């Protein structure tokens, strides 16, 4: 620990040491149910006002212990302002009526399925219909004013046991299409406007709740996050959810991908720890790897060798030589160009300016996708250039980034969050890769982010032409965040891919401290264009890189 503190102090100063201490403390308490319940008590919340009418629809689908679940639903119905409708088979409904009286409304389904649930949803006449996932109870559902159009709402969630003790919160980002393709994070409670509910297809043959979420997302005109814990997963006596997640690829996912990205999009076998992965059919894309360097052959040579060893597709490597002087480096340049006919070394003299060097590389490259790469990275995935390019070539894609690890295997980059440290930083920085039970999205899942690091960043030529080149007013730091936010503001999705893995030795060539001028410029830019990160939850603490509720006080959330 002393060594960690010393290295942080030397590289980044006192602020980094304090940040590390807060992050370590937050990680050590991330499973503390007592701490979470204390946070719930001290939250200052405005009273939830129902501005429209609400119907809550639940079913016993996928629930291992229906009697326990229905009893909990009946108790929730007694305390709820909204009408709570249970969709179940006739036998279950008859037993519930005898035991629970009139606290629940019922809809019989001769064959209980998601299609019968969808039929019940379509028939509701309330302004909004909240659809509970398997084994879930309603939480705080702030009912908006009635809206015109097909709108889908969702919110945060936690778990609750039979004694009413709450634990395991999950604070969600704003709508993330890439996350929804990998994980049904809308499952616990989706709130539909009446028009969206009426638009549920009658012949969809919905096979699973994840497919239902994809169908709703596909048909919704707007998708909004409610700043409230809208649902609780009910736990059994063993402390496990009453309904387990459904394994396997959601049945509707291939159709969803084809409808959004074209006929070549599909679902592929799992890689890199993912349950499955989405591919978009851009397999013949030419990639230009743009790699600025200045001497440090001990870093550059294994980096370049790793690029060629782990990729076999159509790519080129352009080295931007920023005044290398050492004879062994210059000799290796000649040797490398003779060894690999797809490698070029371009002189790029002058004071170091990462943005300018990358812009020079883009001007000289002929690829459809540019992969901007630091010379202190070591690839750990096969065919990772093709994977980056496949996503970057999507018409909605901005910048695409990778999972970067320190040499000790801990996380260095799993997406950038705007607001950390008053500016921006990497979420999960320093966390162990096998950490679990996250309050936020697991770093093992792809998701949309406000920004990714320029240490490994892919952008298509088409997107770069639309958003413009790197801003050369940022010579050292902030240039990657600036271009990502610029892409996001223009409507592009920045994507984090955890199945593309590299080791990053982090700024070994130029040192680690960020110039104050770059930081100040970036802070002013973010204050104007991205004052709060839409892909990070407003309840999570900006003082800790490990996603955590505040150790004291609370962070006020955005309005829904």
């Amino acid at each position: 620990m002393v060594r960690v503190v010393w290295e942080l102090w030397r590289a980044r100063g006192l602020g980094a040491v304090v940040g590390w201490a807060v992050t370590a403390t937050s990680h050590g308490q991330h499973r503390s149910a007592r701490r979470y319940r204390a946070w719930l008590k001290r939250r200052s919340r405005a009273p939830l006002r129902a501005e429209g009418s609400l119907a809550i629809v639940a079913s016993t689908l996928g629930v291992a212990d229906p009697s326990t679940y229905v009893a909990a639903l009946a108790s929730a119905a007694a305390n709820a302002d909204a009408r709570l409708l249970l969709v179940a088979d006739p036998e279950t409904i008859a037993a519930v009526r005898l035991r629970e009286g009139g606290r629940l409304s019922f809809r019989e389904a001769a064959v209980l399925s998601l299609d019968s649930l969808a039929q019940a949803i379509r028939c509701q006449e309330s302004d909004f219909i909240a659809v509970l996932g398997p084994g879930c109870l309603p939480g705080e559902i702030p009912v908006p004013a009635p809206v015109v159009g097909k709108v889908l709402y969702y919110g945060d969630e936690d778990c609750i046991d039979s004694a009413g003790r709450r634990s395991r919160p999950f604070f969600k980002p704003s709508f993330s299409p890439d996350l929804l393709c990998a994980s049904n994070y809308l499952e616990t409670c989706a709130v539909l406007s009446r028009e969206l509910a009426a638009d549920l297809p009658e012949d969809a043959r919905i096979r699973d709740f994840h497919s239902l979420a994809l169908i709703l997302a596909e048909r919704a005109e707007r998708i909004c996050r409610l700043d409230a814990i809208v649902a609780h997963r009910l736990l059994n006596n063993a402390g496990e959810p009453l309904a387990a997640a459904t394994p396997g690829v959601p049945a509707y996912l291939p159709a969803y991908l084809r409808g959004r990205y074209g006929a070549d999009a599909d679902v592929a076998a799992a890689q890199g720890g993912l349950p499955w992965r989405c591919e978009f059919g851009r397999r013949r894309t030419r990639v230009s790897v743009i790699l600025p360097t200045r001497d440090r052959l001990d870093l550059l040579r294994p980096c370049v060798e790793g690029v060629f060893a782990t990729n076999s597709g159509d790519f080129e490597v352009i080295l931007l030589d920023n005044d290398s002087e050492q004879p062994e480096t210059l000799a290796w340049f000649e040797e490398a160009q003779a060894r690999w006919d797809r490698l070029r070394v371009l002189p790029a003299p002058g004071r170091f300016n990462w943005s300018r060097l990358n812009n020079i590389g883009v001007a000289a490259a002929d690829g459809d996708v540019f992969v901007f790469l630091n010379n202190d990275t070591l690839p750990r995935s096969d065919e990772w250039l093709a994977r980056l390019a496949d996503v970057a070539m999507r018409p909605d894609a901005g910048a695409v980034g990778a999972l970067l690890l320190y040499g000790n295997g801990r996380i260095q980059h799993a997406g950038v969050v705007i607001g950390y440290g008053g500016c921006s930083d990497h979420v999960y920085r320093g966390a162990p890769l096998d950490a679990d039970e996250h309050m936020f999205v697991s770093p093992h899942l792809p998701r949309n982010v406000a920004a990714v690091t320029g240490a490994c960043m892919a952008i298509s030529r088409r997107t770069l032409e639309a958003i413009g080149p790197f801003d050369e007013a940022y010579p050292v730091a902030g240039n990657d965040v600036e271009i990502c936010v610029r892409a996001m503001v223009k409507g592009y999705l920045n994507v984090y891919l955890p199945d593309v893995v590299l080791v990053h030795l982090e700024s070994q060539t130029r040192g680690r401290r960020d110039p104050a001028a770059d930081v100040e410029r970036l802070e002013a830019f973010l204050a104007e264009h991205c004052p709060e990160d839409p892909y990070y939850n407003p309840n999570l603490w900006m003082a800790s890189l490990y996603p955590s509720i505040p150790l004291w006080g609370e962070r006020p959330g955005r309005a829904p």
Side-chain angles (χ1 to χ4, degrees):
M1 183 168 61
V2 173
R3 181 180 177 183
V4 171
V5 171
W6 166 247
E7 290 181 349
L8 283 170
W9 174 276
R10 185 180 61 179
R12 294 179 177 271
L14 177 61
V17 174
V18 173
W20 172 82
V22 171
T23 295
T25 303
S26 298
H27 177 254
Q29 299 189 19
H30 76 284
R31 296 185 183 182
S32 173
R34 180 179 297 177
R35 179 182 160 210
Y36 172 57
R37 291 194 286 270
W39 176 81
L40 287 172
K41 287 181 180 179
R42 69 176 183 260
R43 267 194 322 171
S44 57
R45 309 288 293 180
L48 297 175
R49 293 175 299 174
E51 299 186 55
S53 57
L54 174 69
I56 302 173
V57 180
S59 77
T60 54
L61 276 167
V63 179
D65 185 355
S67 61
T68 298
Y69 178 55
V70 171
L73 275 176
S75 177
N79 299 314
D81 294 331
R83 173 173 172 258
L84 207 161
L85 173 71
L86 175 66
V87 181
D89 59 88
E91 293 79 10
T92 298
I93 290 175
V96 173
R97 278 182 170 145
L98 285 174
R99 187 172 65 247
E100 304 297 343
R103 288 179 285 181
L104 286 170
S105 299
F106 303 97
R107 181 182 178 91
E108 292 187 0
V111 178
L112 184 60
S113 67
L114 274 165
D115 284 326
S116 58
L117 179 63
Q119 186 177 9
I121 294 168
R122 283 192 298 269
C123 293
Q124 301 307 304
E125 296 182 355
S126 300
D127 297 315
F128 299 95
I129 299 92
V131 184
L132 295 176
C136 294
L137 302 177
E140 306 167 330
I141 304 177
V143 184
V147 296
V148 176
K150 294 178 282 188
V151 185
L152 174 62
Y153 298 91
Y154 67 97
D156 301 330
E157 65 184 68
D158 62 14
C159 294
I160 194 167
D161 63 15
S162 58
R165 293 184 294 257
R166 291 165 63 177
S167 61
R168 306 183 204 175
F170 176 24
F171 296 107
K172 306 175 186 180
S174 293
F175 180 60
S176 171
D178 284 271
L179 177 58
L180 183 60
C181 287
S183 172
N184 186 12
Y185 77 107
L186 311 185
E187 178 182 59
T188 50
C189 182
V191 182
L192 291 56
S193 68
R194 187 190 305 170
E195 289 192 32
L196 179 58
D199 194 45
L200 266 175
E202 297 190 17
D203 57 350
R205 285 182 274 188
I206 305 168
R207 303 302 184 202
D208 51 81
F209 277 89
H210 198 160
S211 291
L212 175 61
L214 290 166
I215 290 169
L216 291 171
E218 181 180 61
R219 290 174 176 259
E221 297 165 344
R222 286 189 295 127
I223 303 176
C224 307
R225 179 189 158 273
L226 297 167
D227 190 25
I229 297 169
V230 299
H232 315 293
R233 291 186 187 270
L234 184 60
L235 302 179
N236 60 22
N237 292 333
E240 298 299 325
L242 216 59
T246 305
V249 179
Y252 192 72
L253 182 56
Y256 175 84
L257 293 173
R258 289 192 291 269
R260 188 176 177 97
Y261 297 113
D264 293 332
D266 207 345
V267 181
Q271 293 187 27
L274 298 179
W276 56 81
R277 95 175 178 183
C278 302
E279 294 185 344
F280 307 97
R282 277 78 177 184
R283 297 182 179 87
R284 298 180 181 177
T285 303
R286 181 163 176 77
V287 177
S288 295
V289 178
I290 297 174
L291 204 161
T293 190
R294 176 184 294 171
D295 288 316
R296 289 305 302 266
L297 189 57
D298 59 319
L299 298 173
L300 177 63
R301 178 158 41 198
C303 174
V304 172
E305 288 177 346
V307 171
F308 281 98
T310 54
N311 295 282
S312 61
D314 183 10
F315 70 92
E316 63 174 348
V317 177
I318 299 176
L319 300 182
L320 284 304
D321 176 24
N322 185 219
D323 292 330
S324 294
E325 299 176 335
Q326 297 174 358
E328 56 269 31
T329 304
L330 302 178
W332 185 83
F333 285 159
E334 297 298 324
E335 174 191 329
Q337 290 178 97
R339 178 180 176 185
W340 295 296
D341 58 4
R342 291 184 289 179
L343 183 144
R344 288 184 282 159
V345 179
L346 299 182
R351 187 173 182 177
F352 178 82
N353 184 314
W354 188 85
S355 300
R356 180 180 67 87
L357 293 172
N358 282 321
N359 288 339
I360 292 171
V362 167
D366 57 7
D368 304 300
V369 170
F370 309 110
V371 173
F372 304 99
L373 190 67
N374 277 18
N375 65 353
D376 53 359
T377 54
L378 297 170
R380 289 291 180 266
S381 301
D382 291 328
E383 305 300 339
W384 54 281
L385 290 178
R387 173 64 172 151
L388 289 171
D390 183 49
V391 178
M393 283 295 290
R394 287 179 0 196
D396 64 349
V400 184
L403 169 62
L404 303 184
L405 306 177
Y406 289 112
N408 62 7
R410 288 180 174 254
I411 295 172
Q412 192 268 334
H413 169 267
V416 173
V417 171
I418 306 302
Y420 272 164
C423 190
S424 65
D425 209 334
H426 301 179
V427 66
Y428 286 113
R429 180 198 287 271
L433 193 57
D434 60 355
D436 58 1
E437 289 191 16
H438 304 292
M439 289 185 181
F440 185 58
V441 182
S442 165
H444 296 285
L445 290 173
R447 69 184 195 282
N448 300 111
V449 292
V452 297
T453 178
C456 179
M457 172 194 290
I459 305 178
S460 72
R461 180 182 293 273
R462 175 177 53 197
T463 296
L464 200 61
E465 289 173 349
I467 66 176
F470 286 95
D471 187 343
E472 296 182 14
Y474 296 86
V476 177
N479 28 45
D480 47 4
V481 174
E482 190 274 341
I483 199 169
C484 288
V485 170
R486 205 178 338 135
M488 182 176 66
V489 169
K490 287 183 176 289
Y492 292 95
L493 295 172
N494 299 318
V495 185
Y496 159 71
L497 295 179
D499 55 326
V500 175
V501 185
L502 296 89
V503 171
H504 183 207
L505 303 177
E506 194 178 19
S507 308
Q508 291 290 311
T509 304
R510 65 161 183 86
R512 298 183 182 180
R513 295 210 184 198
D514 295 335
D518 286 0
V519 175
E520 290 170 4
R521 185 183 297 275
L522 181 61
E523 287 175 346
F525 173 82
L526 295 176
E528 180 179 356
H529 298 285
C530 185
E532 191 156 6
D533 193 322
Y535 293 110
Y536 201 60
N537 190 284
N539 293 294
L540 296 172
W541 204 17
M542 284 298 180
S544 173
L545 299 177
Y546 193 90
S548 166
I549 53 175
L551 292 175
W552 58 83
E554 67 162 333
R555 180 184 169 211
R558 291 188 302 265

